């Protein structure tokens, strides 16, 4: 980061200078931290679309180019050449691991994959038909009641233990939420499986027989984890940072992030995409719904197409497209009703001038939802899978924030538009 020039702002005839900060990539930013003191004014930026809330070394997105970098590495290269745990190590430590570091890190994660047996009983307090994300919010937040001996977050070792615990236990917690919902017995972790293979074992295995993950499906899910590991300062990441800025423990912060992610405009997008496919129902009705999507007066929205950040093709979607077709071929689902419908929508979106001109390409949610459905993951679990992967990014962002010497508790300003100051009239005279 460098500051080599100033930006001038004229307020009521007075010119005030502010330093301009330059990062490695992306727009320069005007440092307005002294704006209130110098001018008596604040900025108004609904949704923080033009406001940099922090300095970060973790993730960079260029929406116009369709580029996503983790610690400087293109997401395409990471997804093709690395496992999810290698990417987790990269995000946490800033560099990709060598073979020994990779092996050691995997062993550490495996040793933390079980949850306290009393936490298992915690699930019984939920209704069987509770949404898995509601269960996730409660269970992850409750971890602080079980693992409270490493809560000095000025200590790097304590922060590392919390990172390892959360990354290791999220697959177990997600799988238990699924098993509880279906009424099947919980499956304990198996240390002879990979991170993703173990998750599939806990999701789909039963005590009746040994479960062996299909390598094609295991790889597909591992890529999904990698593609969702971090995504700069989105709503849930900002929530984790804001919660953490108060000094809250990381379990509470991640629980807050999960709650934010649950929103249909954020992590719930792939769930909404599958619900849309079910609404359309059949390939014969695609034309009808495409027409509705183009009609500005119609409330119907084509979910899974376009992205708020990427003004070009979502780089994650390019990867997921190949993964999606591999999975459908492996499972022989090319002629399945729902997947034929999805592929017809994809074809139209890539060829129809309306979608091409508006750059409404299929996004990562479109493909990841199809892949998860094909693997056998129910729609209600999609956002839980997202949260499992994003916990790596959330914890990395949390640690970066609390170790930043400039960090302060978050306190956004507001533009108050309520009633002016007034006096209370006694009730007898109202």
């Amino acid at each position: 980061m460098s500051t080599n020039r100033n930006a001038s702002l004229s307020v009521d005839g007075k010119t005030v200078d502010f330093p301009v900060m330059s990062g490695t990539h992306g727009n320069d930013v005007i440092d307005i931290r002294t704006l209130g003191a110098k001018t008596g004014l604040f900025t108004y930026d609904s949704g923080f679309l033009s406001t940099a809330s922090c300095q970060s070394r973790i993730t960079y997105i260029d929406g116009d180019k369709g580029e996503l970098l983790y610690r400087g590495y293109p997401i395409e290269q990471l997804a093709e050449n690395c496992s999810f745990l290698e990417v987790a190590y990269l995000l946490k430590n800033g560099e990709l691991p060598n073979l020994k570091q990779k092996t050691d890190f995997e062993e550490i994660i495996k040793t933390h994959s079980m949850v306290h047996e009393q936490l298992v009983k915690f699930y019984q307090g939920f209704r069987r038909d509770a949404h898995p994300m509601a269960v996730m919010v409660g269970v992850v937040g409750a971890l602080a009641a079980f693992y409270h001996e490493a809560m000095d977050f000025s200590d790097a070792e304590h922060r590392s233990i919390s990172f390892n615990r959360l990354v290791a236990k999220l697959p177990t917690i997600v799988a238990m939420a699924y098993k509880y919902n279906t009424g099947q017995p919980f499956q304990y972790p198996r240390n002879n499986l990979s991170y993703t293979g173990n998750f599939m074992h806990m999701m789909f295995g039963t005590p009746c027989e040994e479960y062996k993950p299909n390598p094609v499906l295991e790889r597909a899910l591992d890529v999904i984890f990698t593609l969702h590991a971090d995504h700069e300062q989105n709503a849930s990441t900002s929530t984790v940072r804001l919660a953490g800025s108060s000094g809250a423990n990381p379990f509470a912060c991640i629980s807050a992030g999960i709650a934010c992610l649950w929103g249909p405009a954020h992590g719930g997008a792939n769930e909404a995409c599958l619900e849309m496919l079910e609404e359309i129902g059949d390939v014969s009705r695609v034309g009808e719904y495409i027409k509705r999507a183009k009609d500005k007066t119609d409330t119907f929205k084509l979910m899974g197409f376009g992205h708020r950040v990427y003004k070009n093709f979502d780089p994650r979607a390019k990867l997921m497209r190949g993964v999606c077709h591999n999975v459908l071929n492996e499972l022989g689902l090319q002629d399945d009703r729902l997947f034929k419908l999805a592929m017809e929508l994809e074809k139209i979106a890539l060829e129809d001038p309306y979608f091409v001109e508006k750059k409404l390409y299929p996004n990562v949610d479109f493909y990841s939802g199809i892949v998860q459905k094909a693997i056998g993951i129910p729609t209600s679990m999609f956002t839980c899978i997202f949260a499992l992967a994003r916990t790596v990014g959330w914890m990395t962002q949390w640690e970066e924030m609390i170790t930043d010497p400039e960090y302060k508790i978050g306190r956004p300003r507001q533009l108050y538009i309520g009633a002016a100051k007034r006096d209370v009239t006694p009730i007898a005279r109202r």
Side-chain angles (χ1 to χ4, degrees), residues 240-253:
V240 170
R241 279 183 171 261
L242 190 59
S245 75
S246 72
N249 71 76
F251 304 111
C253 296

Side-chain angles (χ1 to χ4, degrees), residues 315-336:
R316 301 169 301 169
K318 291 181 181 180
L319 290 160
M320 279 308 304
R321 184 174 189 269
V323 169
C324 180
H325 286 276
N326 288 342
V327 167
L328 296 184
N329 290 335
E330 175 69 15
L331 297 175
L333 291 173
Q334 304 93 325
D335 294 327
D336 179 89

